[in-house]
Amino acid sequence: MTKNTTTSLEWQDFEKVEMRVGTVLEVADFPQARKPAYQLTIDFGMDIGIRKSSAQITTRYTKETLVGKQIIAVVNFPKKQIGNFMSECLVLGSVGTDSDIVLLTTDLKVANGLRIG
């Protein structure tokens, strides 16, 4: 039996995390990153706008397959400097034991900016 090592949090804590749907507009290589990564430009709709993020997803995704893909990201974390790049949101994905990341996506096209909850 596996022991649950997850930390509990209150419902109010979860409600503070603002996860939104966005569409990847542009993808660029990020050679300055310590681990292979892409720089993503993501459209989160009129209220949030365009945000940039860095994602270590080069193993499973090509730049061409990412453009137009709707993904899920946290948009209310503080900006984070990664090398010479400022990340403005956190793209979400499941992480396997070999650090292979599978993006959280929508199975149907929805409006950019919709909140996940």
Side-chain angles (χ1 to χ4, degrees):
M1 179 176 235
T2 305
K3 184 177 180 179
N4 185 355
T5 58
T6 307
T7 303
S8 296
L9 68 137
E10 300 297 321
W11 187 254
Q12 294 112 330
D13 296 325
F14 176 72
E15 289 176 326
K16 292 177 188 175
V17 180
E18 196 170 327
M19 294 178 282
R20 299 285 182 142
V21 176
T23 299
V24 178
L25 300 177
E26 297 175 7
V27 182
D29 291 323
F30 190 6
Q32 297 84 6
R34 283 185 279 151
K35 295 182 181 179
Y38 291 132
Q39 294 174 346
L40 307 176
T41 302
I42 307 162
D43 180 1
F44 289 102
M46 294 293 291
D47 291 340
I48 297 167
I50 307 293
R51 300 272 177 101
K52 294 185 181 287
S53 185
S54 168
Q56 297 172 354
I57 55 175
T58 58
T59 301
R60 186 170 293 267
Y61 300 96
T62 65
K63 292 183 281 190
E64 295 77 22
T65 59
L66 287 167
V67 172
K69 182 178 282 299
Q70 285 196 304
I71 54 86
I72 312 300
V74 176
V75 297
N76 65 334
F77 280 148
K79 294 178 182 178
K80 183 174 182 178
Q81 187 79 41
I82 302 172
N84 64 345
F85 181 78
M86 185 63 73
S87 184
E88 302 170 316
C89 62
L90 175 66
V91 174
L92 299 177
S94 59
V95 182
T97 55
D98 58 354
S99 297
D100 182 28
I101 297 171
V102 176
L103 292 172
L104 298 186
T105 64
T106 61
D107 64 342
L108 300 173
K109 185 113 174 123
V110 298
N112 288 331
L114 283 184
R115 187 166 183 155
I116 305 300

